[in-house]
Each structure stands twice: as structure tokens, then as C-alpha cells.
């Protein structure tokens, strides 16, 4: 009996446990502590961004970004429709209105649709997802944002380490966010990071994330805050994970290349592309079938104790967002109906990949 193969399980490096033991020894389990500072510094060094705040989740980071952009009840916020709920739920937390924008052939946000949405809706901000670790068309999107005065927030939850034009995704917008949820390319067991070139904004984010406590000996509050900071214990795991991030990216890219090579003879498979001038982290290997039923493949893998999944169901199709404004939609709907995510864990072995490809081939017949 072999063990279950998960989609993208945690993969610890050599030092995480040791750092956690250091935290235990110091008893700075929480709140905050030296590892939070070290974790923030390591993300800054890796991505080249100026300022970073470690938070309890990627969703919390997006929520703070919206708050700091001044998004409030009644405002419109554009967002990639082809994404995960954590990307857009904070729009509702703020009482704002989402304006969903479809994908193009890159699977990521379609700049033309976005421009149309800007013309008609005048959104205050855009939440741009870099899906499955591949960069969106940043040049076009950044210039549309500048032209219409839309504040760019990059949801780089899945794309930590992905590069566009020599720069890290997450560092193009006024804010970027990363996630360290359990299945991301690296994990703290749950966590996120808000990054920005604006150091003052990050200082403000830290305040809002700690109940917006004012500097006074007692607990003084003049504005609404949240309990969104990351604990020192989890940051210790993050420091260890950052040490292996480079290796994890190479391994994810290698897994993608191996799937491609092993399934090369199957003409009806299309892989998620990488836009020009970019280098994704291939967080998950994703593909679409021209003809075959993705659910049949997913079920066949499941029978062999192998986890795979459909692509994200677009937000404009979600009952939660019934009646929401949406620009286009057919491209992401089509991808959703034809695509799957293959297991992409960085600790997988060659034999696992071969077995998965064999089952995929069988199920397609
Ligand atoms: C994981 C993810 C998030 C949210 O991150 P959490 O840390 O789980 O809150 C947001 N957007 C996308 C695209 C994600 O994949």
C-alpha cells in the first residue's frame, strides 16, 4: 500500500524544526519576536521589496491592502475572476463591490477586458492574481492602472519567486501579498505577507494588524483594527522555508517539465503558458484537455489515492457573487470546464510522476 499523494503538501527543509526549538527555548512563542523580523527581512531580501509585514494569512494581507488603499463601502474593486476566494472575499469585508474581469490566453487577467471595465466602472483598485505561479501581463496592466488611476494590488499568493521582466511578482503594485498556507510553494502552516515600496504604509499595516492599538501605556483605540499578525512560532518555520525557496522553485519547474515530456505524445493536452519576459514558479502543474472529461481523470487518480483537482471555479460563477458585475467570463469558464491541477509536491519522486502519467493516459482513453 503506497501513501496518498497530495496536490502540494508541506515540504520542510533542514532547519525549520531547529528554529522552532529556539523559539521554545526563548519562550517567545507569541506574540511577535525576533523570528517575525527575520522572516520579514528574508522575504525583503529574496524579492527585493522595500518593506514587509508578516500576517496571519494571505487573505488578511489583501484585506489590509484594501483598507490602506482607502477602499470603503460603495467603492468598486476590479479583480481577476479566475482565482481563489481568498483573493476577493476582502472586497466584501470592506463593503465594496467587486467587478470581475475575465482571463485571456495567458489564463491570467485580460488587459483588454480590464480596460473596458476601467472605462465603464472606474474602479478604485485592482486585485490582480498571478495564477498557479505564472505572472500576469504586468506591463500592459500596470500602464492601464496608471492611465485610469487604479491602485494595483498584486495577489502573488501562488507566485512567490515568479519573475516578470527581471522583477518579482508582488513588487509591481502599490501592495503585493504572499501566502504561506499549507499547500503553497512554501508554508508556515498558515500565514501571509503584505509587501510594498512604501515603508510608512507597512508601518500602518502593522498597527492595523495589532488591533490598531495607539502608543499609550493602556489600550487606547481611535480606529478599527484587526488581529492579523503572525506569531513568532510560525515565523520560525517561515525563516527555515525561505532558505529552501530557491530549490523549491527549481523543483516545481522541473516537475512541470517532466509532466510535459511524459505526456508529450498526447496532442489534446494544453499546458498553462508563461507570458513573454516572465519566469513562473510553476506552483501547480495545470493543463486543459481538448476532449477528455477532466472529472474522469480526477476520479481515476482519486481511486489510486492521488489528489488532483479542477481549476479554480471563476468568481463570477460563484453563488456568493450572483449578480456581480463581470467583464467577459467565457475564457475562464472554458478553462474551468476543461482543466485540472496535477500533483506538484516538491518531495515527489520520479516513480510517482510516472504512475500519475500512466493513470492520466488510461483515463483519457
Ligand atoms: C492561497 C491564496 C490566497 C489566500 O491565502 P491564505 O493565506 O490562504 O489566506 C489568496 N489568493 C490566492 C490566489 C491563493 O491561492
Amino acid at each position: 500500500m503506497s501513501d496518498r499523494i497530495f496536490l502540494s503538501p508541506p515540504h520542510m527543509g533542514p532547519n525549520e524544526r531547529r528554529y522552532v526549538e529556539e523559539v521554545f527555548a526563548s519562550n517567545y512563542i507569541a506574540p511577535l519576536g525576533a523570528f517575525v523580523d527575520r522572516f520579514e527581512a528574508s522575504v525583503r531580501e529574496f524579492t527585493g521589496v522595500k518593506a514587509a509585514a508578516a500576517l496571519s494569512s494571505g487573505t488578511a494581507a489583501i484585506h489590509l491592502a484594501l483598507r490602506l488603499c482607502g477602499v470603503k463601502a460603495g467603492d468598486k474593486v476590479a479583480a481577476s475572476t479566475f482565482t481563489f476566494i481568498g483573493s476577493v472575499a476582502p472586497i466584501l469585508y470592506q463593503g465594496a463591490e467587486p467587478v470581475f474581469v475575465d482571463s485571456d490566453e495567458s489564463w491570467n487577467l485580460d488587459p483588454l477586458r480590464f480596460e473596458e471595465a476601467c472605462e465603464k466602472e472606474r474602479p478604485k483598485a485592482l486585485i490582480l492574481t498571478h495564477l498557479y505561479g505564472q505572472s500576469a501581463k504586468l506591463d500592459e496592466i500596470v500602464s492601464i492602472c496608471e492611465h485610469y488611476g487604479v491602485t494595483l494590488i498584486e495577489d502573488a499568493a501562488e507566485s512567490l519567486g515568479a519573475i516578470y521582466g527581471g522583477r518579482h511578482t508582488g513588487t509591481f503594485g502599490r501592495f503585493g501579498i504572499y501566502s504561506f498556507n499549507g499547500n503553497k510553494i512554501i508554508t508556515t502552516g498558515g500565514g501571509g505577507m503584505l509587501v510594498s515600496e512604501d515603508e510608512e504604509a507597512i508601518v500602518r499595516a502593522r498597527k492595523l494588524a495589532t488591533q490598531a492599538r495607539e502608543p499609550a501605556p493602556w489600550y487606547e483605540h481611535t480606529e478599527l483594527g484587526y488581529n492579523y499578525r503572525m506569531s513568532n512560532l510560525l515565523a520560525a518555520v517561515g525563516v527555515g522555508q525561505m532558505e529552501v525557496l530557491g530549490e523549491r522553485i527549481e523543483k516545481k519547474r522541473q516537475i512541470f517539465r517532466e509532466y510535459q515530456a511524459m505526456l508529450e505524445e498526447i496532442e489534446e493536452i494544453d499546458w498553462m503558458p508563461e507570458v513573454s519576459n516572465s519566469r513562473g514558479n510553476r506552483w501547480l502543474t495545470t493543463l486543459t484537455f481538448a476532449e477528455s472529461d477532466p472529472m474522469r481523470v480526477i476520479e481515476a487518480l482519486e481511486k489510486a489515492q492521488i489528489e488532483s483537482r479542477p481549476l479554480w471555479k471563476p468568481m463570477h460563477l460563484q453563488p456568493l457573487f450572483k449578480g456581480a458585475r463581470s467583464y467577459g467570463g467565457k475564457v475562464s469558464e472554458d478553462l474551468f470546464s476543461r482543466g485540472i491541477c496535477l500533483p506538484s509536491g516538491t518531495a515527489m519522486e520520479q516513480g510517482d510522476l510516472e504512475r500519475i502519467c500512466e493513470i492520466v493516459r488510461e483515463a483519457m482513453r
Side-chain angles (χ1 to χ4, degrees), residues 56-60 62 83-88 129-131 155 157-158 177-181 183-184 190-192 283 312:
S56 53
S57 72
T59 308
I62 292 173
T83 192
F84 170 65
I85 185 69
S87 187
V88 294
T129 299
H130 302 294
L131 205 67
D155 179 348
E158 302 174 358
I177 76 99
Y178 301 114
S179 167
F180 308 103
N181 186 27
N183 65 8
K184 296 287 151 59
W283 168 54
W312 297 128

Side-chain angles (χ1 to χ4, degrees), residues 88-150:
V88 294
I91 300 171
L92 299 191
Y93 298 172
Q94 284 303 97
E97 192 188 336
V99 175
F100 294 118
V101 182
D102 203 4
S103 308
D104 63 10
E105 81 296 335
S106 71
W107 297 32
N108 276 310
L109 189 98
D110 180 347
L112 294 175
R113 292 285 190 195
F114 174 51
E115 188 152 28
E116 196 187 332
C118 288
E119 243 342 294
K120 300 215 174 106
E121 309 285 350
R122 302 285 159 169
K124 197 165 200 171
L126 166 67
I127 302 173
L128 172 67
T129 299
H130 302 294
L131 205 67
Y132 299 122
Q134 265 62 259
S135 176
K137 293 176 177 171
L138 277 161
D139 280 347
E140 289 96 320
I141 294 162
V142 166
S143 68
I144 296 166
C145 284
E146 281 168 0
H147 185 261
Y148 288 93
V150 176

Side-chain angles (χ1 to χ4, degrees), residues 208-256:
L208 291 176
T210 43
Q211 306 285 20
R213 187 186 174 185
E214 299 296 334
W218 53 88
Y219 279 80
E220 178 79 14
H221 303 281
T222 58
E223 60 179 338
L224 177 65
Y226 316 91
N227 182 7
Y228 277 173
R229 266 306 236 170
M230 177 180 276
S231 81
N232 200 40
L233 194 56
L234 296 188
V237 179
V239 169
Q241 286 274 275
M242 283 304 292
E243 293 171 0
V244 294
L245 175 57
E247 275 170 54
R248 297 291 182 266
I249 294 166
E250 292 316 311
K251 182 70 197 216
K252 291 274 193 191
R253 290 182 59 85
Q254 187 195 335
I255 289 168
F256 173 75

Side-chain angles (χ1 to χ4, degrees), residues 137-342:
K137 293 176 177 171
L138 277 161
D139 280 347
E140 289 96 320
I141 294 162
V142 166
S143 68
I144 296 166
C145 284
E146 281 168 0
H147 185 261
Y148 288 93
V150 176
T151 307
L152 175 61
I153 299 167
E154 286 178 86
D155 179 348
E158 302 174 358
S159 71
L160 178 60
I163 305 283
Y164 181 92
R167 246 166 86 189
H168 278 262
T169 57
T171 68
F172 288 76
R174 171 147 164 73
F175 293 101
I177 76 99
Y178 301 114
S179 167
F180 308 103
N181 186 27
N183 65 8
K184 296 287 151 59
I185 190 161
I186 59 168
T187 181
T188 57
M193 190 87 64
L194 180 68
V195 302
S196 178
E197 287 304 300
D198 181 349
E199 205 145 16
E200 256 173 63
I202 295 298
V203 169
R204 234 184 95 58
R206 290 201 186 95
K207 180 189 171 195
L208 291 176
T210 43
Q211 306 285 20
R213 187 186 174 185
E214 299 296 334
W218 53 88
Y219 279 80
E220 178 79 14
H221 303 281
T222 58
E223 60 179 338
L224 177 65
Y226 316 91
N227 182 7
Y228 277 173
R229 266 306 236 170
M230 177 180 276
S231 81
N232 200 40
L233 194 56
L234 296 188
V237 179
V239 169
Q241 286 274 275
M242 283 304 292
E243 293 171 0
V244 294
L245 175 57
E247 275 170 54
R248 297 291 182 266
I249 294 166
E250 292 316 311
K251 182 70 197 216
K252 291 274 193 191
R253 290 182 59 85
Q254 187 195 335
I255 289 168
F256 173 75
R257 285 195 302 271
E258 281 174 15
Y259 273 128
Q260 251 189 334
M262 280 189 253
L263 296 171
E264 197 186 3
E265 80 280 11
I266 305 178
E267 275 172 17
E268 67 148 312
I269 288 182
D270 278 317
W271 308 89
M272 182 175 178
E274 210 164 41
V275 296
S276 63
N277 208 11
S278 78
R279 186 178 192 274
N281 71 13
R282 293 289 177 191
W283 168 54
L284 294 182
T285 288
T286 53
L287 58 86
T288 53
F289 301 110
E291 303 278 327
S292 303
D293 175 9
M295 282 318 294
R296 253 186 70 188
V297 175
I298 289 168
E299 280 156 21
L301 288 166
E302 188 54 46
K303 270 205 201 100
Q305 284 291 305
I306 297 166
E307 184 186 23
S308 62
R309 36 157 130 112
L311 301 180
W312 297 128
K313 181 174 179 178
M315 290 301 125
H316 71 274
L317 295 182
Q318 301 288 353
L320 174 64
F321 293 114
K322 196 165 179 286
R325 282 161 211 271
S326 180
Y327 284 77
K330 294 283 175 273
V331 176
S332 55
E333 285 170 29
D334 177 59
L335 290 167
F336 169 61
S337 72
R338 296 192 294 113
I340 66 168
C341 307
L342 288 174

